[in-house]
């Protein structure tokens, strides 16, 4: 019996140790971009809803060390609140130097067989011309540092990559002890989960790009037949990543491109977001979903075994060992953030330590949204509900009208 219990815990130790090792390797190889090429870059921003935080985003884009040729803001229609917001910002950018960007607003229309985000991106891609040396697809919920665009575009401009991508880095500034409890808790859990994922290696067996920051060369767009590819998918990044691998395009994931992303609005919003992400992974990368599910399940099983037998010395020692690994991972993440110029305030670091000490609860929360992602028949995203029959078979089943 004792041996059986130990064997049930071994996979969790292997998973925890592998995650910590991956973080240490990431940190040892992390360096800031040193080369900056000049070139013509067009940005495509699919925008929807209230677009909270977009002003900060435009200020960050205006401060980029690599000037932007134009920013194409693509919205569903004039009834989408994003349209009025984009129109206001476009007017502001032409009159105030604080946000000086050449902005074009495009109406994409309603999606029918793909994600609305992809439909918006297709509208932007239709405006790309021979002058564009790099095209960047990105999300509205990032706050990029001044070197972000250069880091994305330079490997394409110097001919060393066809596609360049990164990953999000949950931003916890302002999420210290003075923040609302629900938002603070959600932000800390999101960081505990997503920062660990950000430091994992990108395996060739699971070709993945991140749509939050994705730069493509004109050659890549042509070979991908990007508009056609996006026209039948729910996931821009998964579809582009898979097709790029199939075509042998050179995809570079830059370690330094961990892009600051604001924290979640609350636990419910975080759970819905996480479930949707895993639903998309289950549809487009089933082996990756299974790998993540096995890793998480091993941890949850181990916590159950250890806490059930916590009166035994061996269980207390094993629990302590897993918590020490979790605390070490927090330390590695803090060093990564500091090296990238995104060091957390002391209060936030203390909270992250507290979350690491509650690792069993965090793992159960993470596990719950992953298991909920088993059902991929309907995926809710924004104001739309999508019926998913397969990776390339998407239909709109519900659409919430804007007031």
């Amino acid at each position: 019996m004792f041996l059986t219990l130990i064997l049930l815990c071994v996979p969790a130790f292997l998973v925890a140790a592998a995650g910590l090792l991956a973080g240490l390797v990431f940190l040892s190889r992390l360096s800031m971009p040193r080369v900056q090429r000049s070139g013509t870059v067009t940005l495509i921003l699919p925008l929807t809803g209230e677009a909270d935080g977009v002003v900060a985003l435009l200020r960050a884009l205006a401060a980029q060390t690599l000037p932007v040729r134009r920013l194409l803001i693509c919205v569903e229609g004039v009834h989408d609140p994003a349209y009025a917001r984009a129109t206001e910002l476009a007017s502001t950018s032409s009159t105030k130097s604080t946000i000086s960007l050449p902005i074009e607003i495009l109406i994409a229309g309603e999606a029918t067989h793909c994600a609305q985000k992809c439909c918006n991106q297709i509208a932007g891609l239709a405006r790309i011309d021979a002058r564009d040396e790099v095209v960047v697809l990105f999300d509205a919920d990032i706050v990029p540092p001044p070197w972000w665009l250069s880091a994305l575009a330079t490997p394409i401009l110097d001919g060393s990559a066809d596609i360049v991508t990164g990953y999000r880095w949950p931003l916890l500034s302002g999420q210290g002890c003075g923040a609302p409890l629900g938002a603070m808790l959600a932000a800390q859990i999101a960081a505990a989960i997503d920062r660990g994922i950000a430091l994992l290696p990108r395996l060739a067996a699971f070709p993945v790009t991140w749509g939050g920051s994705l730069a493509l060369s004109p050659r890549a767009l042509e070979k991908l037949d990007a508009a056609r590819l996006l026209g039948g998918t729910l996931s821009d990044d998964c579809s582009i990543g898979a097709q790029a691998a199939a075509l042998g395009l050179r995809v570079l994931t830059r370690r330094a491109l961990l892009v600051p992303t604001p924290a979640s609005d609350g636990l419910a919003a975080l759970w819905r977001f996480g479930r949707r992400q895993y639903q998309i992974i289950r549809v487009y990368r089933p082996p990756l979903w299974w790998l993540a599910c096995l890793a998480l399940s091993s941890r949850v099983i181990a916590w159950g075994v250890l806490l059930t037998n916590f009166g035994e010395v061996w269980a207390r020692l094993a629990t302590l060992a897993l918590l020490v690994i979790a605390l070490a991972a927090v330390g590695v993440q803090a060093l990564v953030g500091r090296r990238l110029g995104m060091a957390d305030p002391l209060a936030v670091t203390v909270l992250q330590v507290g979350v690491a000490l509650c690792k069993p609860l965090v793992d159960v929360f993470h596990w719950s949204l992953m298991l909920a992602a088993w059902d991929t028949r309907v995926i809710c995203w924004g104001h739309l509900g999508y019926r998913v029959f397969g990776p390339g078979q998407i239909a709109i089943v519900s659409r919430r009208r804007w007031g």
Side-chain angles (χ1 to χ4, degrees):
M1 181 65 177
F2 173 74
L3 182 59
T4 301
L5 294 176
I6 293 295
L7 290 176
L8 286 173
C9 296
V10 167
F13 277 91
L14 295 176
V15 168
L20 178 59
L21 178 61
L24 290 169
V25 171
F26 188 101
L27 178 62
S28 68
R29 297 180 179 178
L30 175 61
S31 60
M32 298 298 289
R34 296 186 179 90
V35 178
Q36 176 176 320
R37 305 293 184 195
S38 59
T40 305
V41 183
T42 286
L43 308 181
I44 297 177
L45 173 63
L47 198 63
T48 191
E50 299 299 329
D52 295 333
V54 74
V55 173
L57 170 60
L58 293 193
R59 288 200 179 106
L61 295 179
Q64 293 296 304
T65 56
L66 178 61
V68 176
R69 176 193 174 192
R70 54 187 172 158
L71 168 63
L72 306 179
I73 299 181
C74 311
V75 300
E76 176 184 315
V78 296
H79 299 296
D80 189 331
Y83 175 77
R85 188 71 168 134
T87 303
E88 175 190 357
L89 292 171
S91 174
T92 300
S93 70
S94 64
T95 58
K96 295 184 179 180
S97 59
T98 53
I99 305 179
S100 181
L101 285 170
I103 297 175
E104 296 181 30
I105 301 171
L106 306 177
I107 304 296
E110 295 184 351
T112 55
H113 300 291
C114 66
Q116 186 63 53
K117 175 185 179 182
C118 295
C119 184
N120 291 6
Q121 290 171 326
I122 292 169
L125 290 172
R127 292 282 294 126
I128 300 305
D129 58 35
R131 288 184 57 195
D132 293 309
E133 297 176 272
V134 180
V135 176
V136 173
L137 308 178
F138 68 112
D139 291 342
D141 62 347
I142 64 172
V143 187
W147 46 266
W148 167 79
L149 187 56
S150 174
L152 274 171
T154 290
I156 294 175
L157 293 170
D158 66 17
S160 61
D162 299 306
I163 298 174
V164 181
T165 188
Y167 195 69
R168 59 181 166 266
W169 187 257
L171 193 64
L172 293 172
S173 299
Q175 294 294 332
C177 298
L181 181 59
M184 179 183 69
L185 183 59
Q188 296 297 326
I189 292 175
I193 294 172
D194 225 4
R195 288 182 176 185
I197 294 173
L199 303 188
L200 293 176
R202 280 11 183 194
L203 303 176
F206 307 108
V208 176
T209 53
W210 177 54
S213 292
L214 186 60
L216 304 100
S217 68
R219 172 178 175 269
L221 287 172
E222 181 179 2
K223 292 197 69 174
L224 288 168
D225 194 1
R228 181 200 58 79
L229 180 66
L230 294 173
T233 184
L234 188 64
S235 173
D236 55 325
D237 39 17
C238 283
S239 297
I240 288 173
Q243 186 70 352
L247 295 171
L249 294 173
R250 298 166 298 168
V251 179
L252 172 64
T253 301
R254 298 200 74 173
R255 290 183 180 85
L257 279 170
L258 291 180
V259 186
T261 304
S264 173
D265 292 330
L267 278 176
L270 173 61
W271 194 91
R272 290 193 299 269
F273 170 79
R275 183 198 181 201
R276 185 181 74 240
Q277 294 299 101
Y278 277 117
Q279 284 178 308
I280 291 172
I281 291 294
R282 177 156 163 69
V283 171
Y284 291 94
R285 295 290 186 280
L288 184 57
W289 183 88
W290 278 108
L291 180 63
C293 188
L294 289 172
L296 266 175
S297 297
S298 72
R299 294 214 300 254
V300 172
I301 290 170
W303 289 124
V305 169
L306 294 175
L307 295 178
T308 300
N309 296 275
F310 201 68
E312 303 290 337
V313 174
W314 65 268
R316 293 199 293 271
L317 291 175
T319 300
L320 177 62
L322 284 175
L323 292 179
V324 167
I325 293 175
L327 290 170
V330 170
V332 171
Q333 293 163 19
L335 291 174
V336 168
R338 185 176 297 276
R339 186 169 297 182
L340 292 173
M342 299 183 290
D344 290 328
L346 178 59
V348 167
T349 301
V350 170
L351 288 172
Q352 279 290 286
V353 168
V355 170
L357 294 174
C358 297
K359 187 67 171 169
L361 296 177
V362 174
D363 283 344
V364 169
F365 178 85
H366 192 178
W367 192 56
S368 73
L369 58 88
M370 172 170 284
L371 292 183
W374 175 266
D375 182 5
T376 59
R377 291 171 297 176
V378 175
I379 298 179
C380 297
W381 189 353
H383 66 299
L384 296 178
Y386 302 91
R387 172 74 70 177
V388 181
F389 302 97
Q393 296 176 292
I394 312 297
I396 311 297
V397 294
S398 65
R399 183 185 297 270
R400 178 172 59 84
R401 297 294 175 182
W402 301 108

